[in-house]
Amino acid sequence: MKNRKAIIIGCGIAGPAAAIFLKRAGYEPYIFEAQPDHDDYTGLFLNVARNGMRVLRELGVDGQIRAEGIELRTMSFHSGRGKWLGKIEDPSPEPQGWTVKRGFLHKVLREAAVCEGIPIAFGKRLADLCIAGSRVTAVFEDGSSVEGDLLVGCDGIHSRTRRLILPEAAEPDYTGLISFGGFSRGVKIPHEPTQHMVFGKKAFFGYLVKRDGEIYWFGNLDYPGRPTRKELQSIPQAEWRRVIDGLYRDEIHPVPEIIRATESEIGVYPIYDLVSVAQWYKGPVVLIGDAIHATSPNAGQGASLALEDALVLAKCIRDCGSLEQAFRQFELLRRARVEKVVRYSRSIGQRKHATNPVQVFFRDLMLPFFLKQAGRQSNAWLYDYRVDWRERLTV
Ligand SMILES: Cc1cc2nc3c(=O)[nH]c(=O)nc-3n(C[C@H](O)[C@H](O)[C@H](O)COP(=O)(O)OP(=O)(O)OC[C@H]3O[C@@H](n4cnc5c(N)ncnc54)[C@H](O)[C@@H]3O)c2cc1C
């Protein structure tokens, strides 16, 4: 297997992780990223759940996330009228996860790949693919191309790789919600390992407080059509600030104060998901992470699933006799889990939709029962997933 070349499309989360594991499996990986450089894609923040942290530990970078992130053990819920709805506490001695800025996670993974001697080319947007027998050629928008023995599509929910190899595949579904958020300072709220959630009168709101007092906040709102990220970003910041201020002006303390204390730009994203694609690979090309199964952010699992995929795929390639067998095994090991998570996350999101006062009244009435039930249910299937890189697969 020595010197077999792996082309990795995308340097988000799945991409650098897959490159490092594939190098350990004997491949020579090269990463190609569409963004012109690595300063360009910082985004907001995300929770790396403890199942994802296990993969980061295998990569040797979990310590950086623990040092920088906000530890998360409890989720606490209020209604917009100030009624305490309940909390969900994870019984495990390990935190449920760690919340970090997206740009920080990208940086940690990218630097880990560079440390392993893996080249990363920026400004390389995949345009086309040519599969000839066991070889694959990737053609980029700038006219350049590269040939390899394996190509891993890690190019996210609107994956060009997926559309090229599986033109008939299902497209992502719009959930009807947008997510927006930012970073605030100067509101006196104690730091604790808790994510606070408010089922607001007009829109959902969540926040966490870092040790140094910085507040990471986000909101979800019903939004019509099938907006693209570009369309939402083309709306001026001042307009978003006006709309968001109006949504939360009459909410309980400290929601309006947090909004007013926002120091960063407000990031706005449409929420799509992708539950099930019939096929995950074609010839020497395989898809992982959001490119093949994308979950809405409600369960805080998309990044962790992408990391798990990277490890499991490389392990299958290392231990199977052929790529075809490895891809089949990868899909067999992963499909049921990832589809279950996407559906679970979708079901959580449905509770964020209430928009009229009658719906809000009944939602607030039912939520304490739902939260009690959710607290009793074991989430071990979600968080306690383990894959041992050293253990060999028996196929
Ligand atoms: C608002 C929001 C909040 C979220 N919060 C959480 C959370 O708290 N926890 C969590 O686990 N998940 C969260 N997620 C989901 C998480 O972001 C994704 O599941 C995760 O980023 C998937 O990683 P990935 O590497 O598969 O794809 P991405 O992170 O999307 O990376 C894809 C990369 O490919 C590049 N690319 C795209 N097209 C091309 C091309 N044609 N050629 C070359 N490169 C290309 C992109 O520039 C990008 O760098 C959230 C998502 C959103 C939208």
Side-chain angles (χ1 to χ4, degrees):
M1 212 178 263
K2 269 259 168 300
N3 296 328
R4 300 198 80 193
K5 192 165 167 179
I7 302 168
I8 313 288
I9 303 296
C11 192
I13 296 166
I20 297 169
F21 285 121
L22 281 170
K23 183 148 190 183
R24 291 184 193 172
Y27 269 77
E28 206 179 291
Y30 293 80
I31 304 176
F32 298 90
E33 165 58 47
Q35 294 296 333
D37 65 64
H38 56 72
D39 290 332
D40 275 355
Y41 54 107
T42 45
L44 289 173
F45 55 91
L46 49 73
N47 174 52
V48 186
R50 64 172 176 268
N51 47 309
M53 284 295 274
R54 277 185 209 110
V55 181
L56 294 181
R57 190 183 311 149
E58 197 60 63
L59 293 171
V61 298
D62 59 312
Q64 293 181 62
I65 303 300
R66 275 179 231 281
E68 172 66 22
I70 307 173
E71 183 183 314
L72 183 63
R73 290 181 182 272
T74 307
M75 281 189 271
S76 171
F77 300 86
H78 278 84
S79 79
R81 285 175 301 152
K83 183 177 154 199
W84 189 64
L85 299 170
K87 64 178 173 178
I88 300 181
E89 259 166 324
D90 196 281
S92 167
E94 263 183 277
Q96 189 199 82
W98 298 81
T99 300
V100 284
K101 291 189 178 169
R102 181 183 289 270
F104 183 77
L105 178 62
H106 279 202
K107 174 175 172 285
V108 163
L109 287 168
R110 194 183 61 242
E111 286 178 356
V114 169
C115 260
E116 302 262 351
I118 297 166
I120 307 175
F122 288 90
K124 294 287 178 186
R125 182 174 292 279
L126 180 74
D128 205 358
L129 284 177
C130 174
I131 299 174
S134 63
R135 303 281 290 169
V136 54
T137 303
V139 181
F140 300 100
E141 275 185 1
D142 64 3
S144 63
S145 63
V146 60
E147 200 184 331
D149 303 280
L150 159 68
L151 185 142
V152 189
C154 308
D155 45 351
I157 186 163
H158 301 293
S159 169
R160 177 83 183 147
T161 313
R162 183 182 70 241
R163 286 172 178 151
L164 288 168
I165 65 162
L166 309 170
E168 309 294 322
E171 279 294 308
D173 288 318
Y174 176 51
T175 62
L177 289 170
I178 60 168
S179 186
F180 46 82
F183 303 98
S184 305
R185 279 191 187 277
V187 185
K188 296 244 167 305
I189 317 171
H191 157 72
E192 46 186 349
T194 302
Q195 180 156 5
H196 299 271
M197 315 277 206
V198 180
F199 284 91
K201 297 183 198 83
K202 293 183 185 158
F204 186 83
F205 189 82
Y207 68 94
L208 302 99
V209 187
K210 206 180 163 187
R211 280 178 299 270
D212 67 359
E214 188 174 21
I215 299 163
Y216 294 16
W217 68 264
F218 71 97
N220 294 122
L221 177 70
D222 283 84
Y223 195 96
R226 275 180 67 85
T228 64
R229 194 169 156 191
K230 236 186 181 157
E231 280 161 17
L232 296 179
Q233 282 175 344
S234 70
I235 298 171
Q237 277 285 306
E239 181 59 11
W240 280 119
R241 279 182 189 265
R242 193 189 60 75
V243 169
I244 292 167
D245 188 53
L247 284 174
Y248 297 116
R249 190 177 300 139
D250 302 324
E251 273 319 336
I252 55 168
H253 169 80
V255 178
E257 292 85 346
I258 292 176
I259 300 288
R260 278 197 296 274
T262 303
E263 289 185 340
S264 65
E265 282 228 329
I266 293 180
V268 189
Y269 305 87
I271 303 297
Y272 285 79
D273 70 7
L274 181 64
V275 183
S276 189
V277 176
Q279 203 184 328
W280 285 21
Y281 57 90
K282 187 177 177 188
V285 179
V286 64
L287 297 151
I288 69 169
D290 273 18
I292 195 64
H293 52 74
T295 164
S296 52
N298 309 301
Q301 278 287 334
S304 297
L305 292 182
L307 291 165
E308 289 176 3
D309 276 359
L311 190 156
V312 176
L313 174 71
K315 197 171 144 129
C316 292
I317 290 174
R318 181 193 66 189
D319 296 347
C320 292
S322 67
L323 282 186
E324 160 77 26
Q325 202 187 9
F327 294 169
R328 209 177 322 120
Q329 189 63 21
F330 168 65
E331 188 178 331
L332 196 73
L333 289 171
R334 297 292 296 158
R335 183 185 279 277
R337 172 171 173 74
V338 300
E339 290 186 359
K340 187 174 173 184
V341 177
V342 180
R343 289 200 174 91
Y344 171 67
S345 189
R346 206 182 248 199
S347 72
I348 301 175
Q350 269 148 13
R351 287 188 190 83
K352 295 178 174 175
H353 279 292
T355 46
N356 69 54
V358 180
Q359 282 175 312
V360 168
F361 175 80
F362 283 107
R363 184 197 60 194
D364 293 353
L365 197 69
M366 295 307 295
L367 266 169
F369 300 102
F370 164 74
L371 291 171
K372 230 178 229 159
Q373 194 194 1
R376 274 198 296 266
Q377 274 167 0
S378 168
N379 268 340
W381 68 274
L382 200 57
Y383 298 117
D384 294 344
Y385 180 87
R386 286 181 165 79
V387 215
D388 185 348
W389 171 252
R390 280 155 291 272
E391 202 176 78
R392 291 195 78 79
L393 280 178
T394 45
V395 189

